[in-house]
Amino acid sequence: MPDGKIFVASGSLNGLNPTNSDNNNPTYEILDREGYPHGDSIVMSILEKNQPYYMYPFLHLLKDGNLFVFVSKSAQIFNVETDTIVKTLPDLRGDFRTYPNTGGSVMFPLSSTNGWEPEIMICGGGAYPDINSPTDASCGRIKPLSENPTWEVESMPGGRVMVEGTLLPDGTIIWLNGCSRGAQGFGIAKDPVYDPWIYNPRASHVERWAVGGSSTIARMYHSVALLLLDGTVMVAGSNPVEQPVLVPNPKDPKTAYVTEFRVEIYVPHYLSGKKADQRPLDVVLSSRHLVANGGNFTVKFNIHKEAIELHVVLYQGGFVTHSLHMGHRMLYLDYTGWKAGEREQVVKATMPPDSNVAPPGAYVIYIVVDGVPSMGQFVMVENPMPPGDKPKGDKLNGKQTGIQGKPDKQVDKPEDNKKILNGGDVPKNDTSKDDKIDKDKEKQGVDDGKEKGGGNEKETDKEDDKYEGDDDGMEDED
């Protein structure tokens, strides 16, 4: 969240079948900045109404400080501070999109060019939690803060469940992992999809999708993908059975795919061939403690003389599980000082205006020249300091130029969620909170004049492992 608290939503009371509502926990709670519970668990109506497809919802923090929440086929904008639904969004047509027939979701890269306007994409899904369930090939794109939010629907190269989207530094999105039949759970999926698919949100409709190579390793339930500092993607996981199975049994669908211990490194298109020799080099940041308040920092780097286009990327990889990349976001920072054709570069980059756009946490800076990223540099993004506080360590120093307020919220309907006090009765219409999000966000000085910055391979562990059989039983639920 913008103030550093953590929003935790959904879950199970006992890990048993979610089709029985007695097993479910369709609530949310807040953890403080240190990760400790803060207040009470509160029933969330969109989770409660969409059981059993209420687990692992898609959540994205928007530029107004509210949350985009998507469950099953339903979406809304939710104000955590007041525990109210700001706006109910249209349903996304097609199959179910969240656990146990989960697809994937990403928020497109943010930029000041369009006022940090969020656009969200949801792809894939399935019809029912069974090994024979068909999967959905459709995707939906929506701008939730637009005047009239609607879903723009298009198709992937094929149906896919347990697919996850990962933002790449050049602004494209890689969709990988998963299968074309079945659902999440133990022993209820088959027909793995081995091809990564590359999506370019800026291209025309007929040119947005491309196949980005292939693998020979099935990545089923509990697979993950994560962008690394060098711009490659780590792909790991897959345990489609509850207890480890080391030898596949094709005659039994529940043990047809092994517990996977191999890790792959996917080399994206921007590092293939000669492009690998065109990285920006010798990147030096003036500070690794950055504040989301419109302040500036300096970046020095070297490039080849033929370079034309620059992007300064602020990247948060998120926390990955069950096809979710929680907290995942990417921002194009404004900059000045770029001199095309010169080898040695010094640019001044501008941080986002507030913590709604860039919530606090660990990020990576990539210098992307003509689509090729540098080695990433870890930074910590921090909240603006309250008035009167002094900078610590090597935080950016800047002139205080104003106070940013929180925009007004339009409540769609007087639909309050219900608060659970220590597992007891559920009182109605109680939306009290112990704390409010701090509305005072200070802004550091910003220089005048902005410049809007706005062949695939896989490397696999070559060691041949010799597996032994395992006939342990398994359950169908996670």
Side-chain angles (χ1 to χ4, degrees):
M1 298 301 295
D3 61 356
K5 295 190 180 77
I6 303 169
F7 180 85
V8 180
S10 188
S12 174
L13 296 174
N14 50 30
L16 300 180
N17 192 339
T19 60
N20 182 349
S21 61
D22 290 339
N23 297 326
N24 300 341
N25 187 12
T27 69
Y28 76 89
E29 65 175 308
I30 304 298
L31 307 184
D32 64 22
R33 296 174 66 101
E34 305 301 323
Y36 292 101
H38 180 83
D40 305 300
S41 293
I42 302 172
V43 172
M44 195 171 187
S45 61
I46 193 172
L47 302 179
E48 188 176 38
K49 293 176 181 177
N50 284 287
Q51 298 177 81
Y53 289 92
Y54 76 103
M55 289 201 288
Y56 302 101
F58 300 143
L59 305 172
H60 298 282
L61 178 64
L62 305 177
K63 69 173 184 176
D64 63 357
N66 292 319
L67 286 179
F68 170 88
V69 182
F70 184 95
V71 181
S72 182
K73 305 177 183 181
S74 303
Q76 65 179 214
I77 300 174
F78 184 71
N79 187 311
V80 177
E81 183 179 355
T82 61
D83 184 33
T84 52
I85 300 168
V86 177
K87 180 181 288 187
T88 299
L89 301 172
D91 284 358
L92 175 58
R93 70 174 187 259
D95 287 335
F96 299 110
R97 310 286 183 164
T98 50
Y99 184 96
N101 292 100
T102 194
S105 176
V106 295
M107 183 165 64
F108 290 165
L110 302 171
S111 170
S112 70
T113 304
N114 63 351
W116 310 103
E117 181 74 12
E119 183 172 3
I120 293 162
M121 186 176 193
I122 294 172
C123 290
Y128 46 87
D130 183 82
I131 194 170
N132 294 310
S133 172
T135 56
D136 201 320
S138 67
C139 298
R141 293 172 53 160
I142 193 169
K143 296 180 179 179
L145 296 183
S146 63
E147 185 175 346
N148 182 29
T150 55
W151 291 99
E152 175 190 335
V153 179
E154 57 188 280
S155 292
M156 297 186 291
R160 207 158 178 168
V161 70
M162 293 183 281
V163 61
E164 56 188 291
T166 302
L167 297 163
L168 298 178
D170 69 343
T172 59
I173 302 160
I174 182 171
W175 296 87
L176 73 176
N177 298 340
C179 59
S180 60
R181 284 277 172 178
Q184 286 181 310
F186 296 126
I188 57 171
K190 61 181 179 179
D191 300 340
V193 181
Y194 296 100
D195 299 339
W197 296 335
I198 307 297
Y199 183 81
N200 184 352
R202 304 177 301 276
S204 66
H205 283 76
V206 296
E207 297 177 327
R208 288 178 178 174
W209 290 98
V211 176
S214 187
S215 175
T216 59
I217 299 176
R219 299 293 182 182
M220 312 283 276
Y221 193 36
H222 291 152
S223 298
V224 296
L226 191 67
L227 183 72
L228 301 181
L229 289 179
D230 65 355
T232 62
V233 179
M234 182 183 74
V235 185
S238 189
N239 64 321
V241 288
E242 185 173 19
Q243 298 298 327
V245 169
L246 305 182
V247 176
N249 180 7
K251 296 181 180 180
D252 182 0
K254 292 188 175 183
T255 57
Y257 301 97
V258 300
T259 304
E260 188 57 67
F261 295 97
R262 289 172 292 179
V263 175
E264 295 172 284
I265 299 298
Y266 177 81
V267 181
H269 49 277
Y270 49 71
L271 292 176
S272 64
K274 295 181 179 180
K275 292 182 179 180
D277 298 324
Q278 297 177 351
R279 281 186 185 276
L281 301 173
D282 305 321
V283 177
V284 178
L285 308 178
S286 62
S287 176
R288 290 182 181 267
H289 289 266
L290 307 176
V291 184
N293 62 355
N296 301 306
F297 65 98
T298 299
V299 186
K300 298 180 180 180
F301 56 96
N302 295 328
I303 55 168
H304 59 93
K305 286 188 176 181
E306 293 77 22
I308 298 173
E309 185 181 38
L310 169 69
H311 290 292
V312 180
V313 170
L314 183 64
Y315 189 97
Q316 164 60 272
F319 305 90
V320 187
T321 184
H322 285 77
S323 303
L324 297 183
H325 287 233
M326 295 167 283
H328 189 25
R329 65 177 50 217
M330 172 175 154
L331 306 92
Y332 291 121
L333 303 184
D334 294 333
Y335 59 84
T336 58
W338 165 252
K339 298 178 181 178
E342 293 193 9
R343 188 177 300 276
E344 296 183 358
Q345 297 281 343
V346 180
V347 300
K348 183 173 288 187
T350 303
M351 285 294 289
D354 57 42
S355 296
N356 294 337
V357 177
Y363 287 72
V364 173
I365 294 285
Y366 292 99
I367 302 301
V368 182
V369 175
D370 296 339
V372 181
S374 67
M375 292 291 293
Q377 307 290 315
F378 275 117
V379 297
M380 286 297 295
V381 173
E382 301 170 356
N383 288 117
M385 293 174 293
D389 280 11
K390 296 181 179 180
K392 298 177 182 179
D394 61 349
K395 293 178 184 177
L396 291 172
N397 292 302
K399 182 180 178 182
Q400 301 294 332
T401 59
I403 299 176
Q404 300 167 359
K406 192 167 186 176
D408 295 334
K409 311 288 190 306
Q410 177 184 355
V411 177
D412 183 60
K413 61 177 79 172
E415 182 176 359
D416 291 326
N417 292 298
K418 299 164 285 185
K419 182 164 62 176
I420 299 177
L421 297 174
N422 299 321
D425 295 334
V426 181
K428 297 182 178 179
N429 301 323
D430 187 347
T431 59
S432 62
K433 296 281 186 291
D434 290 346
D435 287 339
K436 299 294 185 183
I437 295 176
D438 186 3
K439 296 183 179 179
D440 295 330
K441 296 182 171 67
E442 296 300 313
K443 184 177 183 181
Q444 292 179 346
V446 180
D447 286 353
D448 293 335
K450 288 185 178 180
E451 187 172 347
K452 301 300 180 184
N456 303 290
E457 304 167 8
K458 280 201 175 182
E459 299 173 1
T460 309
D461 186 352
K462 298 181 180 179
E463 181 180 355
D464 293 328
D465 294 325
K466 295 183 178 179
Y467 297 143
E468 296 180 358
D470 189 327
D471 295 325
D472 289 347
M474 62 210 70
E475 297 177 3
D476 287 343
E477 298 299 330
D478 185 10

